[in-house]
Amino acid sequence: RRRMEEDAGPSRVTGDVGLSPRWLGAIAVGLTLLAGAMGGGCYLVTNTHRHSQALAGAEAAAIAVAQDCVAATQPPDLAGLPASQRKLSECTTGDFANQTAWYGEILSEAYQAVNVRVRVPEIHAAVERDNGDGSIVALVAFRATVSQAGMPDRDNSYRMRVRLVPENGQFKISQLDQVAK
């Protein structure tokens, strides 16, 4: 064994790899940079995940408002009209809020004149896009069954594009356009 130590030299027997202090410093800097990059990457992934969760929550809240508010545009009968008007005043804003007040007056006259009943058996909504200003555009599709004395029931299908804006911590409809009937 002594002969092997003499042949191999002291660095090979003790396990010393023979790296200079310069190389060790470079490796330490490289590992530090790698750790920093990994930490930065983890921060970006976590931040992106949080943003994604917040956006998903906002979208779910906007969809719920869109469905409830659009359904309120179809009051079941004359007796249900005041509740629908209250709902519309709570979930609308801007010019659209003014339109819904006018719409309620016209609708009241129409419901009284023809004694109509409306059912909304199904309503579906999905986000079309998120805007940079925090507003959300959703598509709402629903079917309404209209009953009127002496006439057969009519089923009407509608698709609406709804623009929702955040106001006082909740979404409100600022614009509603019919896309197709």
Side-chain angles (χ1 to χ4, degrees):
R1 177 170 180 173
R2 188 174 173 106
R3 177 82 177 133
M4 287 179 14
E5 286 179 8
E6 288 173 7
D7 289 344
S11 65
R12 296 196 193 240
V13 173
T14 60
D16 186 5
V17 290
L19 293 176
S20 70
R22 185 179 215 179
W23 272 104
L24 291 174
I27 291 171
V29 167
L31 290 173
T32 301
L33 290 174
L34 181 62
M38 288 176 62
C42 288
Y43 170 78
L44 289 175
V45 167
T46 302
N47 196 29
T48 301
H49 179 68
R50 283 188 188 136
H51 177 73
S52 177
Q53 284 182 320
L55 187 58
E59 287 178 350
I63 289 298
V65 168
Q67 286 179 316
D68 287 348
C69 202
V70 168
T73 66
Q74 307 293 312
D77 53 27
L78 186 59
L81 193 58
S84 288
Q85 277 305 118
R86 274 192 305 280
K87 180 65 177 171
L88 287 171
S89 70
E90 293 169 2
C91 65
T92 59
T93 189
D95 289 339
F96 185 63
N98 296 333
Q99 289 174 358
T100 60
W102 172 81
Y103 174 74
E105 292 174 22
I106 301 298
L107 204 56
S108 176
E109 292 175 19
Y111 271 54
Q112 286 175 3
V114 293
N115 191 24
V116 73
R117 295 192 184 289
V118 179
R119 269 186 330 106
V120 180
E122 63 182 281
I123 188 166
H124 306 281
V127 171
E128 183 177 43
R129 75 177 170 271
D130 297 294
N131 297 318
D133 63 357
S135 65
I136 292 176
V137 177
L139 289 176
V140 179
F142 67 97
R143 188 169 48 90
T145 303
V146 180
S147 301
Q148 188 177 348
M151 298 185 74
D153 289 356
R154 294 180 314 275
D155 279 336
N156 297 317
S157 296
Y158 300 94
R159 281 187 35 199
M160 311 295 254
R161 180 168 283 120
V162 180
R163 184 170 192 267
L164 299 118
V165 296
E167 188 175 284
N168 299 324
Q170 63 183 2
F171 280 97
K172 293 189 174 192
I173 294 179
S174 66
Q175 186 176 350
L176 180 112
D177 297 310
Q178 188 167 337
V179 177
K181 183 175 177 180

